[in-house]
Amino acid sequence: MPQPGDILRSRYKIIKILGSGGFGDTYLAQDIDLPGKPKCVVKHLKPNPDPKVLEIVRRLFDSEAQVLYRLGNDSDQIPRLFAHFEEQGEFYLVQEFIDGQDLSHEIIPGEKLTEIAAIKLLQEILEILAVVHKQNIIHRDIKPQNLMRRQQDGKIVLIDFGAVKEVEAMTVNTQGQTSLSVAIGSLGYMPSEQAAGRPKLSSDVYAVGMLGIQALTGLQPNELPKDPNDDEVIWRNRANVTEKLADALNKMVSYYFRDRYLSAVEALAAIKLLQPPPQKRVTPTIPIPQPRQRQTPPTVPTPQPQQRQVTPPPQPKPQQQQQAPPPTSTPTKIITPNWSRRKVIQTVGFAGAGLGLAIVVPRLWQSNSQFVEDLGNGVSLEMVQIPGGTFTMGSPAGEAERSSDESPQHEVTVPGFFMGKYEITQEQYQAIMGTNPANFKGEKRPVEGVSWDDAVEFCEKLSQKTGKPYRLPSEAEWEYACRAGTTTPFYFGETITTDLVNYNGNFPYGAAPKGEYREQTTNVGIFPPNSFGLYDMCGNIWEWCEDVYNDSYRGAPTDGSAWLTSSDNNRKLMSGGSWGDGAGYCRSAIRLGRWRANRYNAVGFRVVAVAVA
């Protein structure tokens, strides 16, 4: 058994053991023959003393290695096989090292992916598996731990093709014939025919389907019940999905392999039909609001019964009247403003719904302190002052659709700061980073498809350009700014509608009716703001925060600062919900933890700046 420091074939230096099992051991190593001594993975097959078994193992080992060589050349999402060799009756594979984390960091127990996110994930996996199935190769161990999200480009890489398992599973019986002695696979993802030692291409399809159901329900495969009459998986009542997706998944996980898609190629074609059609690029201009001055509160008219009153977006002002940004060499002072907060409660009627809902349409605090940052080429960044204060963070036990990680509620005192009026737009991101990674293109739409590290890099470059200390908000700052003095599930009150927020209207909250599902982001600033003058704090896109994710608030800071320690410091926090989520995921207290390198088309960010007095 190799030890750290050992060098195999005078080339591969063992760094540490990565895993050990009945079939063999896996090591992290360095290729000391190449410049920079790149990392690689060495798999060691434990020897078998029986000479008959050894000969069969040698033949299978060479055959399987040739398959892995070929697959690595067919796709950059399958690790390349660099070498395979035998030393003293022991067998070794040297493969490409994938720098990333597996999908168990994305498919998390107790958390559900949106339907759009799940469809995208299924398509990503099936696209890789289709390459494998076209070679008539069965993987036999599809599960989150064998699907790596590569940090370099965010692509999924399919690992652990089971060359070692294939070899170990072969034995010689007393007549000298070979047979499969063990079932290769993982419980919960392994269908009945595979458990019996007779896997098919559709066995892999079953595993992908179970992974999709796991992502949508938040339950592990072994936690899902099965129908006692036909052994079909019972999951539909645990997830809010369309009938088309449910039918596709049910076909993927059918108990009888003949009833499934025959291969990943067929399953991929079915999943692609579920994707929304490409959106036509629309880039209308967004109005730039006038700076708000202290003024006499306007008279609020009494709304007529069954009429919906929504504060219209502010009108654009001529370019030459824009307020010039403060000099970058002078720190921006927080001016103690004269705050006055007013709201009007309206009863909103919904045609055909037969009900009226009390919705709070926020009235803006009146402040004399905000500024506009010039990013060049006519692109600007508007920052709004958020006054310091104390609030109750988290959600109460009785709040519908809450999660346990929103507890315990606790008092937090937040110092004053400035926050972006809007989510960072694509034109702003382009102005600072020189790229636009967004899936839903539009200059005034929020940028998405950015990792936590991308967002941090943006803040660093923005700070260098302007001379001001920009960063991501702490989770406490974000929730405090989102609530804007409210204690209800939303800053609009007890519920929301798709007239007020961009979310998946098929999944309303409380007594609200179903609404529109736009299936994409919208331009920032087209919905009413909260009382602090911040737009789209509910829905549109999730927003990265500075904190690492912890599964409760026990030990959380109470001074408004970011929580920077956790059992997994690579798992970062995001808030706010998105266009693809139901209304319950757009509550003020909502929080999710995702790996910092992940890039989704429903995740972006906004920035804060703390001025120096």
Side-chain angles (χ1 to χ4, degrees):
M1 178 176 176
Q3 299 295 324
D6 289 352
I7 299 177
L8 303 175
R9 281 201 144 185
S10 303
R11 178 168 184 173
Y12 304 108
K13 182 178 181 180
I14 302 298
I15 299 174
K16 64 179 180 180
I17 189 167
L18 295 175
S20 182
F23 300 137
D25 307 306
T26 304
Y27 302 88
L28 180 65
Q30 284 181 306
D31 188 341
I32 60 177
D33 269 11
L34 294 180
K37 299 179 180 179
K39 293 178 181 178
C40 57
V41 172
V42 174
K43 292 188 176 182
H44 168 230
L45 176 65
K46 291 181 178 179
N48 191 311
D50 189 321
K52 292 182 178 180
V53 174
L54 185 63
E55 183 56 34
I56 293 174
V57 167
R58 180 178 292 111
R59 187 170 65 249
L60 289 172
F61 182 77
D62 288 338
S63 175
E64 189 77 8
Q66 295 305 319
V67 169
L68 293 175
Y69 278 125
R70 188 168 70 250
L71 285 175
N73 291 329
D74 287 345
S75 173
D76 69 343
Q77 292 174 260
I78 297 171
R80 289 171 294 166
L81 183 63
F82 295 142
H84 75 290
F85 53 90
E86 177 185 351
E87 285 188 357
Q88 298 178 346
E90 301 185 16
F91 301 89
Y92 297 88
L93 293 171
V94 182
Q95 290 184 287
E96 177 184 6
F97 170 69
I98 305 301
D99 186 9
Q101 286 188 302
D102 64 60
L103 290 192
S104 65
H105 292 79
E106 299 180 27
I107 304 174
I108 300 168
E111 296 183 9
K112 300 179 182 181
L113 292 189
T114 66
E115 178 168 342
I116 294 295
I119 290 173
K120 183 176 183 295
L121 186 64
L122 286 169
Q123 181 171 334
E124 287 183 283
I125 297 169
L126 289 169
E127 283 174 346
I128 311 167
L129 192 58
V131 174
V132 179
H133 282 188
K134 286 176 182 178
Q135 297 282 358
N136 205 33
I137 297 169
I138 310 169
H139 185 279
R140 280 179 290 181
D141 203 11
I142 303 291
K143 59 183 178 180
Q145 291 78 6
N146 284 339
L147 292 156
M148 301 288 293
R149 180 78 69 177
R150 187 163 51 203
Q151 184 171 358
Q152 178 184 358
D153 56 10
K155 290 183 178 181
I156 292 178
V157 179
L158 180 58
I159 66 169
D160 198 2
F161 275 77
V164 174
K165 298 176 187 178
E166 172 75 18
V167 173
E168 180 68 17
M170 299 301 294
T171 62
V172 178
N173 63 20
T174 55
Q175 286 76 34
Q177 298 172 329
T178 60
S179 62
L180 278 172
S181 63
V182 295
I184 299 172
S186 297
L187 292 177
Y189 304 96
M190 181 169 49
S192 58
E193 74 279 358
Q194 184 175 336
R198 297 187 295 274
K200 319 287 183 185
L201 293 177
S202 63
S203 304
D204 284 346
V205 174
Y206 179 95
V208 177
M210 289 303 300
L211 189 149
I213 291 172
Q214 179 183 352
L216 288 163
T217 62
L219 298 174
Q220 299 283 355
N222 58 7
E223 296 178 312
L224 292 166
K226 292 188 176 182
D227 191 312
N229 298 315
D230 56 15
D231 274 332
E232 298 293 351
V233 180
I234 301 173
W235 66 275
R236 186 68 177 83
N237 60 332
R238 309 294 182 95
N240 292 319
V241 297
T242 59
E243 291 300 324
K244 288 184 178 180
L245 176 58
D247 290 345
L249 285 171
N250 283 334
K251 186 175 178 68
M252 293 175 74
V253 301
S254 177
Y255 180 80
Y256 295 102
F257 68 87
R258 292 184 182 88
D259 295 334
R260 298 182 211 129
Y261 301 106
L262 295 180
S263 71
V265 178
E266 287 191 12
L268 176 61
I271 292 299
K272 282 184 173 180
L273 293 176
L274 304 177
Q275 288 281 16
Q279 301 295 325
K280 183 179 178 181
R281 180 171 179 174
V282 180
T283 56
T285 57
I286 184 171
I288 302 174
Q290 295 276 358
R292 295 187 173 273
Q293 304 294 330
R294 293 192 308 179
Q295 56 186 15
T296 303
T299 302
V300 179
T302 303
Q304 296 298 317
Q306 300 302 312
Q307 296 291 320
R308 178 171 50 83
Q309 178 177 334
V310 177
T311 306
Q315 296 300 313
K317 62 179 180 179
Q319 186 70 25
Q320 64 269 22
Q321 293 182 9
Q322 291 186 23
Q323 180 180 347
T328 59
S329 59
T330 304
T332 304
K333 292 186 177 181
I334 293 181
I335 303 170
T336 303
N338 179 16
W339 298 94
S340 62
R341 179 170 175 268
R342 291 168 177 81
K343 295 186 290 188
V344 59
I345 296 182
Q346 300 182 356
T347 300
V348 183
F350 300 95
L355 51 86
L357 297 177
I359 288 188
V360 177
V361 180
R363 291 293 180 188
L364 293 179
W365 294 81
Q366 303 302 317
S367 167
N368 62 351
S369 184
Q370 55 183 300
F371 66 87
V372 179
E373 197 79 80
D374 183 6
L375 304 185
N377 297 322
V379 180
S380 61
L381 171 66
E382 296 182 69
M383 301 294 293
V384 177
Q385 186 183 30
I386 308 300
T390 300
F391 80 113
T392 302
M393 188 171 180
S395 62
E399 186 167 298
E401 298 189 35
R402 72 185 298 272
S403 177
S404 60
D405 66 354
E406 299 166 19
S407 298
Q409 281 191 294
H410 57 292
E411 296 295 309
V412 179
T413 299
V414 180
F417 59 99
F418 283 89
M419 191 173 211
K421 181 178 290 189
Y422 310 109
E423 296 151 335
I424 291 297
T425 64
Q426 293 173 38
E427 67 174 359
Q428 291 167 341
Y429 194 85
Q430 178 80 41
I432 298 300
M433 303 293 285
T435 60
N436 180 8
N439 181 68
F440 303 110
K441 299 297 185 185
E443 292 180 352
K444 307 300 180 181
R445 294 190 186 202
V447 67
E448 21 81 11
V450 291
S451 67
W452 184 89
D453 293 302
D454 295 333
V456 169
E457 184 181 2
F458 176 93
C459 294
E460 292 172 350
K461 290 186 175 181
L462 179 62
S463 299
Q464 293 170 3
K465 181 179 180 67
T466 63
K468 298 185 182 71
Y470 285 99
R471 57 171 170 81
L472 294 178
S474 70
E475 182 189 7
E477 288 171 335
W478 193 97
E479 185 177 332
Y480 174 73
C482 176
R483 289 189 179 279
T486 63
T487 58
T488 47
F490 310 90
Y491 53 79
F492 290 105
E494 293 296 334
T495 191
I496 51 175
T497 72
T498 53
D499 294 318
L500 302 173
V501 175
N502 180 19
Y503 65 94
N504 186 343
N506 293 314
F507 306 106
Y509 187 86
K514 289 187 176 182
E516 183 178 0
Y517 180 25
R518 298 174 178 89
E519 302 186 28
Q520 58 184 302
T521 60
T522 53
N523 281 12
V524 299
I526 67 173
F527 297 101
N530 69 5
S531 293
F532 282 163
L534 301 173
Y535 291 80
D536 297 304
M537 295 293 282
C538 290
N540 211 16
I541 55 168
W542 289 93
E543 299 179 19
W544 288 115
C545 292
E546 191 177 9
D547 307 55
V548 294
Y549 175 80
N550 286 274
D551 60 9
S552 80
Y553 284 131
R554 293 179 181 86
T558 59
D559 59 357
S561 63
W563 197 358
L564 301 178
T565 57
S566 171
S567 59
D568 184 357
N569 289 338
N570 284 320
R571 197 173 171 200
K572 298 295 184 177
L573 192 133
M574 56 189 191
S575 300
S578 77
W579 57 269
D581 295 291
Y585 275 82
C586 299
R587 294 173 298 109
S588 298
I590 192 67
R591 57 197 304 267
L592 288 181
R594 290 294 182 265
W595 184 39
R596 63 191 294 165
N598 287 356
R599 294 182 175 92
Y600 298 110
N601 62 1
V603 182
F605 65 103
R606 73 177 72 213
V607 298
V608 303
V610 178
V612 179

